[in-house]
């Protein structure tokens, strides 16, 4: 289902686990800052709304979306994080720069997730124009920043639950 069919930010609260005790990194790109600032706001507020302590949310900014993976790696090396959220917006232009950036960032974050076993969330908008970006950064199709936060909470909780030894009574 595409975002045009459904406002994906319309989550039922009961489906979202509590984020208290978890720590998060948010890396945001400065390019298209009007959009990424809205994604960041939605992401940060969603983490807090679902129980994350503000002192456990570590935020940095990098120049562009292409720098998100390395920024995420730097932050993950200096802070103990349960999930890392990357926010960017690459608007299609006259050349194919967007394809190179989007694919390399998606691949890098997927690789980092698989190799580290820690969720690196792809919160990058890949719109054809500014209106599509606005629609997904607090507009008619919700806010992808909120969705990235919810995904990060769910994956961080899943990772913790699988790491805990099975709780048994007796033998
Ligand atoms: C160069 C570039 C272009 C043309 N467009 C965008 C964009 O729409 N969104 C974005 O986040 N970044 C863009 N960049 C910058 C690259 O992500 C990167 O910062 C530079 O190529 C330097 O590595």
């Amino acid at each position: 289902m595409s975002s045009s069919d459904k406002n994906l930010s319309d989550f039922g609260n009961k489906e979202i686990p509590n984020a208290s005790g978890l720590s998060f990194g948010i890396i945001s790109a400065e390019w298209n800052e009007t959009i990424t600032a809205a994604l960041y706001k939605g992401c940060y507020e969603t983490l807090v709304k679902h129980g994350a302590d503000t002192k456990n949310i570590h935020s940095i900014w990098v120049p562009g979306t292409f720098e998100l993976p390395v920024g995420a790696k730097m932050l993950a090396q200096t802070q103990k994080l349960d999930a890392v959220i990357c926010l960017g917006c690459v608007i299609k232009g006259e050349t194919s720069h967007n394809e190179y950036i989007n694919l390399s960032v998606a691949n890098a974050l997927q690789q980092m997730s698989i190799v580290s076993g820690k969720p690196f969330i792809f919160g990058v908008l890949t719109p054809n124009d500014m209106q599509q970006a606005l629609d997904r950064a607090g507009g008619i199709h919700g806010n992808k920043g909120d969705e990235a936060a919810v995904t990060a909470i769910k994956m961080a909780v899943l990772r913790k639950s699988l790491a805990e030894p099975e709780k048994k009574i007796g033998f």
Side-chain angles (χ1 to χ4, degrees), residues 29-32 36 63-67 88-92 97 101:
E30 289 167 2
W31 261 78
N32 299 313
T36 57
T65 294
F66 190 76
E67 283 72 42
C89 172
V90 186
I91 301 178
K92 191 170 167 45
H97 78 275
I101 296 174

Side-chain angles (χ1 to χ4, degrees), residues 32 35 89-93 98 125-137:
N32 299 313
I35 301 297
C89 172
V90 186
I91 301 178
K92 191 170 167 45
N98 60 309
L125 296 183
T126 60
N128 291 321
D129 53 45
M130 181 55 86
Q131 188 56 53
Q132 285 186 349
L134 290 165
D135 290 346
R136 290 156 181 79

